[in-house]
Amino acid sequence: SSAMAKSKFEYVRSFETDDTCLRNCYIVVRLDGRNFHKFAEQHQFAKPNDDRALGLMSRSARSVMEELEDITIAYGQSDEFSFVFKRTTTWFKRRASKLMTHVASQFSSSYVFYWKEFFGEQPLLYPPGFDGRVVLYPTNHNLRDYLSWRQADCHINNLYNTVFWTLIQKGGLTTTQAEDRLKGTLASDKNEILFSEFDTNYNNESAVHRKGTTLIWEKRNETVSKRIKRPNEEEQQVPVTRSRRKVEAYYCDIIGDQFWEEHPDVLED
Ligand code: ATP
Ligand code: ATP
Ligand code: MG
Ligand code: MG
Ligand code: MG
Ligand code: MG
Ligand code: MG
């Protein structure tokens, strides 16, 4: 805003609508890659899970947590990531559009910025985009159910995709044959196909693929060696320990109670 006198145009600001998020609620921003089915194909993502792409998603999410205020936990799978702002945040006066667009643009620019760290010389062929939405959850129970919903989605999709691509890659089926084979099957049927026909126990598949990625802040004691020079003494190397906040990644169940009991600071009263 400028220090100039108000112009006759100033009234247009009053056309802006109030999108302040209700107080006391957790503010969740979920991003999802735009048309990533095509993006994955064009950039030769491995099927069903490309670890470079998952690593880049996590790296970008970490950048969002480090650069923006008050995000306590983030959960991601496939081309999506959810970010949870603490219920007491006053960042940008809790304006939904400000929070959402900052998350989306920080994430998108990081995705491009860190591309090379994960894809090496393979070029990024065009600028990817992400949509965002804001959802408010008033209780810890609702917030946990939200995150459980996303992890259950990860599980259902990954189990399906794992069997589907195993039938094709190891079973020699065409995509149409694999689709037909899986029509109407339950989770138990899919586990059984993997186990009896491909000697694969689904529970031994990579945790990041089965559970997705959960990012939280953790305090870690970090010891560094510091040079200290006191008057009339020799310079000394002294170990100095300090507590630092760091974003840590987990690839575990977040539907049950254990994760939340082990990390009681994530949820507020
Ligand atoms: P906020 O995050 O609140 O938007 P800000 O620092 O971006 O904070 P703005 O009011 O958006 O504040 O102002 C943008 C500032 O960026 C300008 O005041 C100026 O200092 C700088 N800036 C932007 N574009 C240019 C440019 N083309 N040349 C020189 N300076 C620029
Ligand atoms: P929309 O724009 O509506 O979101 P979309 O094509 O992005 O369309 P999604 O439902 O978001 O559809 O699905 C994302 C798709 O991106 C997956 O189905 C998969 O094909 C691909 N994809 C995303 N991440 C990975 C990954 N790590 N490895 C392999 N494929 C991936
Ligand atoms: Mg400006
Ligand atoms: Mg600005
Ligand atoms: Mg979608
Ligand atoms: Mg998508
Ligand atoms: Mg998606």
Side-chain angles (χ1 to χ4, degrees):
S1 57
S2 80
M4 287 187 296
K6 288 191 175 182
S7 72
K8 65 172 179 176
F9 308 118
E10 189 78 12
Y11 79 95
V12 297
R13 177 181 282 283
S14 69
F15 281 53
E16 291 184 14
T17 49
D18 178 30
D19 63 349
T20 308
C21 293
L22 185 66
R23 287 178 61 167
N24 227 34
C25 292
Y26 289 104
I27 303 170
V28 173
V29 174
R30 181 165 82 253
L31 303 182
D32 187 282
R34 173 164 183 245
N35 207 353
F36 258 48
H37 184 76
K38 175 186 149 206
F39 187 85
E41 234 164 52
Q42 301 227 324
H43 293 86
Q44 288 124 38
F45 283 14
K47 287 171 187 307
N49 294 295
D50 190 294
D51 287 320
R52 302 167 301 176
L54 292 173
L56 180 54
M57 290 290 292
S58 285
R59 181 67 192 83
S60 307
R62 186 149 66 81
S63 154
V64 168
M65 288 178 76
E66 286 167 351
E67 300 296 331
L68 310 187
E69 319 272 317
D70 291 346
I71 295 168
T72 52
I73 183 168
Y75 175 76
Q77 51 124 343
S78 182
D79 68 338
E80 70 168 62
F81 239 101
S82 299
F83 299 88
V84 181
F85 288 87
K86 66 179 193 184
R87 50 183 358 155
T88 55
T89 190
T90 54
W91 200 48
F92 282 105
K93 298 186 178 140
R94 298 174 73 85
R95 289 167 66 187
S97 56
K98 290 277 189 178
L99 301 182
M100 178 170 59
T101 55
H102 270 301
V103 169
S105 69
Q106 188 69 38
F107 190 94
S108 306
S109 65
S110 299
Y111 195 94
V112 172
F113 189 78
Y114 294 113
W115 173 266
K116 254 189 138 183
E117 278 186 25
F118 295 86
F119 283 86
E121 290 310 303
Q122 184 178 326
L124 178 60
L125 299 174
Y126 59 90
F130 294 84
D131 73 60
R133 73 189 74 187
V134 170
V135 191
L136 303 181
Y137 291 108
T139 66
N140 287 355
H141 184 83
N142 293 151
L143 180 70
R144 274 188 57 178
D145 281 351
Y146 170 77
L147 294 166
S148 299
W149 175 50
R150 298 325 304 150
Q151 188 167 59
D153 185 77
C154 174
H155 168 73
I156 292 163
N157 291 333
N158 191 61
L159 178 58
Y160 183 93
N161 292 338
T162 302
V163 191
F164 181 78
W165 286 104
T166 302
L167 286 168
I168 292 162
Q169 291 162 352
K170 295 186 183 157
L173 268 59
T174 65
T175 51
T176 321
Q177 288 169 329
E179 262 167 36
D180 288 343
R181 181 73 208 281
L182 291 176
K183 228 167 243 159
T185 55
L186 307 172
S188 54
D189 303 321
K190 295 186 184 77
N191 275 299
E192 187 55 28
I193 294 174
L194 286 174
F195 194 72
S196 56
E197 293 178 38
F198 299 98
D199 206 21
T200 300
N201 184 340
Y202 180 73
N203 293 322
N204 296 335
E205 294 293 291
S206 146
V208 58
H209 301 160
R210 285 184 296 115
K211 302 295 181 190
T213 301
T214 303
L215 303 176
I216 55 174
W217 285 105
E218 281 194 347
K219 287 199 184 73
R220 284 286 159 91
N221 283 335
E222 197 182 68
T223 306
V224 289
S225 155
K226 255 197 157 176
R227 285 167 198 278
I228 290 191
K229 172 85 178 76
R230 293 203 179 85
N232 310 322
E233 277 181 37
E234 292 271 294
E235 188 178 87
Q236 285 182 357
Q237 293 275 2
V238 188
V240 178
T241 302
R242 59 186 163 201
S243 162
R244 289 200 66 167
R245 251 161 61 94
K246 197 174 174 298
V247 174
E248 287 291 338
Y250 287 86
Y251 312 105
C252 65
D253 175 80
I254 57 171
I255 296 174
D257 292 335
Q258 189 184 342
F259 175 83
W260 303 99
E261 284 163 4
E262 288 172 1
H263 304 98
D265 297 343
V266 177
L267 297 180
E268 296 145 276
D269 293 329

